[in-house]
Amino acid sequence: MDKKVNSVYRFAPSPTGLLHVGGARTAIFNWLLAKKEGARFLLRIEDTDEKRSSKESLDQIINSLDWLDIKWDGSPLFQSKQKERHKQIANELLEKGKAYRCFCTPDMLREERKRAEANKKAFLYNGRCRQLIASEIESNLKNNKPFTLRLRIDDGETTFNDLIRGGVTVKHAELDDFVILRSDRSPVYHLAVVVDDHDMGITHVVRGDDHLSNTPKQILIYEALGWQIPIYAHVPLICGFDGARLSKRHGATAVEEFKEKGFLPDALFNYLCLLGWAPGDDRELMSRDEIVSSFSLDRISKKDAIFDEKKLKWMNGKYLSQQSNNHLTNLLGPILANKEQVKIEKDRQNFLFLIDLVKTRAQTVNEIYENIEFYFSDPGSYEEKGVDKYFRNDDAIDLLDRLMSQLIKEENFDAENMEKIVRGLADTLGIKAGTLIHPLRLALTGRTTSPGIFDVMQILGRETVIRRIEKALTRSYM
Ligand code: GLU
């Protein structure tokens, strides 16, 4: 293994909403690289935007990372706590002549922006305050004129080698002397990121492609400070089928939503790894260890990745079917009502058998629940299409009636015996077993699909089977 123990990776979420799958994937990629190299992986909370940041969002991000079992080294660094340090560095840049005071008023800048927009041009600050002479600056300061600090960017271009994108060059004519410290002395994002990455000893910045255009500006700050520039890798974005960046209108986008929908963390982890990365062979279901040993940035695609929930569900189904019945029972815990929990405790062996029957039919924990709901209570209603097909004919009443008269005499409700009785009756009547099984299934489960009906009869037991058939027989539409 290539041990670059001195490398330091990081994940730097802004606590302004739920953890998006794109953010989670960035965290995973950094975590994988650190794991693979025996390097450090740090967490930084970018909470400088006081209006949009919230404790609730922070807690949700941390919970989602915990759920995905992504652990970072040490304590998280909170960007908002570093403000004094950011300010100090901005002032150092001013002293070195790498930054200058800009006294332009917001009104002036607004006017210029409007003019640029009217000419369909991007607004770039024209560097007016670069030229101010010492006496002008002094008098402005004496008059308490508010000012920002802007980075002095000379003519030329900035080039960097992105580990995914390759060489990227930006001409400085496309940039302007951007603000690094606002007039209220708060640092802007670019300055905060550079200072924090430097102070945390970050060697590799692996982040979403949406940050690509920020990188030249950040590199210019590193250069102005004479600091070591980290290695950059910008990972492609995650999009919906329409090619637009994955957002709410495509459906679930947050890790928390997938948790609530009954996905397993290992399945989501595995699926997210394959968004933009591939091991180079046809493996898809991969354990974390396998992914760690196969992962490398040079196998990350430059193209945007498409999020396909169906594929994720398929993968989740595969992971579900590999879980023990006991573990699946525990996973169902949060969605079960109290009285359902109590019932399971009293009847655990029987319930585990039921789980075993449904776990290969369901793709999410929630779907497992839908498949076992019949176990907990008598059907409150029957699936409409089943009623039309299997209940609304005279034979159904007659068939269930006949079956009832046999079941009443039975004590042994084991699947084997039930099969003997149901098939035996069908044979006697000269009908296909299905003709009897379909209305029976609907009567017992309220649904047109269920695990094998004889197993269902065994699991429900004599009393419940008889009661449910009786109930179905008394429905007026039969
Ligand atoms: N806080 C930024 C975000 O959530 C990440 C910044 C970075 O990775 O440099 O998109």
Side-chain angles (χ1 to χ4, degrees):
M1 190 161 52
D2 185 13
K3 282 247 174 205
K4 289 187 219 147
V5 277
N6 293 327
S7 299
V8 186
Y9 294 86
R10 48 70 154 182
F11 177 50
S14 306
T16 54
L18 298 171
L19 181 63
H20 187 275
V21 286
R25 190 197 50 171
T26 299
I28 291 172
F29 282 4
N30 279 284
W31 180 89
L32 286 169
L33 290 161
K35 267 263 165 299
K36 178 164 183 167
E37 296 168 10
R40 279 161 52 82
F41 170 60
L42 306 180
L43 179 65
R44 177 169 74 237
I45 305 299
E46 301 209 318
D47 56 347
T48 43
D49 186 339
E50 281 168 26
K51 276 196 213 105
R52 295 179 58 226
S53 300
S54 73
K55 168 86 173 66
E56 196 194 0
S57 156
L58 171 65
D59 290 345
Q60 277 161 341
I61 291 172
I62 302 277
N63 287 341
S64 294
L65 291 174
D66 270 349
W67 183 71
L68 287 167
D69 201 19
I70 297 178
K71 296 200 169 59
W72 54 91
D73 294 305
S75 318
L77 180 116
F78 287 84
Q79 194 155 62
S80 60
K81 299 222 170 93
Q82 307 303 315
K83 270 190 195 158
E84 284 308 312
R85 168 82 177 142
H86 302 148
K87 235 191 284 181
Q88 173 210 335
I89 296 296
N91 285 322
E92 263 180 52
L93 287 170
L94 175 68
E95 276 157 32
K96 284 188 186 168
K98 302 281 184 185
Y100 60 90
R101 293 184 183 88
C102 171
F103 295 94
C104 296
T105 64
D107 282 347
M108 280 163 76
L109 297 172
R110 212 172 294 127
E111 273 310 307
E112 287 172 12
R113 180 182 299 275
K114 261 197 217 155
R115 238 174 289 142
E117 276 166 8
N119 292 327
K120 303 215 173 346
K121 280 195 183 145
F123 168 67
L124 293 176
Y125 175 62
N126 61 13
R128 189 182 306 109
C129 290
R130 263 179 182 238
Q131 275 74 295
L132 291 182
I133 50 170
S135 59
E136 284 174 300
I137 296 174
E138 245 164 63
S139 118
N140 282 342
L141 290 177
K142 228 184 250 158
N143 293 327
N144 284 329
K145 266 190 138 183
F147 63 89
T148 59
L149 292 189
R150 288 183 182 271
L151 191 72
R152 191 186 292 275
I153 303 179
D154 295 327
D155 290 346
E157 56 184 35
T158 291
T159 295
F160 65 98
N161 183 41
D162 186 279
L163 291 187
I164 296 167
R165 290 298 202 114
V168 178
T169 298
V170 173
K171 294 201 167 43
H172 293 177
E174 292 165 25
L175 307 173
D176 62 358
D177 292 346
F178 59 91
V179 172
I180 53 171
L181 199 70
R182 299 187 188 90
S183 56
D184 64 1
R185 312 326 305 138
S186 64
V188 302
Y189 165 71
H190 295 304
L191 179 71
V193 168
V194 168
V195 174
D196 292 348
D197 276 342
H198 171 264
D199 289 357
M200 291 164 81
I202 302 300
T203 56
H204 291 70
V205 172
V206 180
R207 59 185 176 190
D209 218 20
D210 47 334
H211 287 286
L212 188 69
S213 62
N214 294 332
T215 303
K217 292 183 179 178
Q218 293 173 11
I219 287 178
L220 283 163
I221 300 179
Y222 277 103
E223 284 175 344
L225 288 162
W227 287 349
Q228 170 83 33
I229 299 166
I231 293 166
Y232 287 96
H234 288 88
V235 300
L237 297 182
I238 300 179
C239 296
F241 280 110
D242 57 358
R245 200 173 166 184
L246 191 70
S247 70
K248 286 216 162 45
R249 71 192 164 82
H250 293 105
T253 55
V255 171
E256 177 131 329
E257 290 173 275
F258 289 101
K259 179 180 170 192
E260 273 165 18
K261 286 169 98 175
F263 286 86
L264 298 179
D266 283 344
L268 185 61
F269 182 102
N270 188 162
Y271 179 70
L272 291 179
C273 286
L274 297 177
L275 286 183
W277 173 80
D281 47 41
D282 54 8
R283 279 177 303 165
E284 287 190 313
L285 294 172
M286 296 173 77
S287 71
R288 280 184 199 226
D289 285 347
E290 272 178 90
I291 298 174
V292 166
S293 57
S294 317
F295 194 78
S296 68
L297 286 175
D298 55 18
R299 297 214 58 86
I300 292 188
S301 149
K302 290 188 182 63
K303 277 195 290 183
D304 288 342
I306 304 290
F307 190 86
D308 178 358
E309 192 169 327
K310 265 205 196 130
K311 177 89 189 262
L312 167 62
K313 265 188 106 173
W314 166 82
M315 191 167 268
N316 202 58
K318 295 283 174 205
Y319 271 83
L320 272 188
S321 58
Q322 290 164 6
Q323 307 300 313
S324 73
N325 300 332
N326 263 316
H327 183 54
L328 288 174
T329 305
N330 294 341
L331 288 174
L332 280 163
I335 50 178
L336 294 176
N338 249 349
K339 63 171 199 258
E340 293 175 334
Q341 297 266 26
V342 172
K343 184 172 161 76
I344 294 173
E345 266 157 48
K346 282 199 205 135
D347 189 32
R348 193 154 178 107
Q349 277 321 102
N350 201 21
F351 184 74
L352 291 178
F353 174 51
L354 171 61
I355 290 293
D356 199 56
L357 294 175
V358 299
K359 73 180 180 191
T360 49
R361 304 170 150 258
Q363 292 188 316
T364 62
V365 177
N366 298 19
E367 279 181 16
I368 291 191
Y369 182 74
E370 285 164 25
N371 277 290
I372 60 165
E373 235 178 329
F374 73 86
Y375 167 81
F376 297 109
S377 44
D378 293 356
S381 61
Y382 301 92
E383 218 177 292
E384 198 50 46
K385 69 170 187 219
V387 171
D388 284 342
K389 252 170 128 171
Y390 308 126
F391 277 180
R392 288 209 176 101
N393 63 62
D394 297 339
D395 287 351
I397 308 175
D398 187 43
L399 290 177
L400 288 182
D401 237 353
R402 279 171 190 259
L403 181 62
M404 265 295 271
S405 19
Q406 295 211 12
L407 291 177
I408 292 276
K409 290 183 264 168
E410 284 302 317
E411 283 306 324
N412 176 4
F413 268 59
D414 283 356
E416 211 179 310
N417 194 38
M418 289 297 101
E419 176 158 16
K420 211 170 86 199
I421 289 176
V422 173
R423 292 200 190 281
L425 177 60
D427 279 351
T428 312
L429 298 173
I431 57 169
K432 280 196 206 140
T435 314
L436 181 52
I437 288 171
H438 290 309
L440 177 60
R441 170 174 286 122
L442 196 60
L444 295 182
T445 67
R447 298 171 53 134
T448 53
T449 53
S450 77
I453 195 65
F454 311 120
D455 290 327
V456 166
M457 294 172 91
Q458 171 179 317
I459 288 165
L460 291 176
R462 183 177 195 277
E463 199 188 314
T464 305
V465 168
I466 290 176
R467 184 182 63 244
R468 290 190 186 178
I469 299 177
E470 266 170 359
K471 264 195 175 175
L473 282 169
T474 56
R475 299 278 158 150
S476 54
Y477 46 64
M478 283 193 84

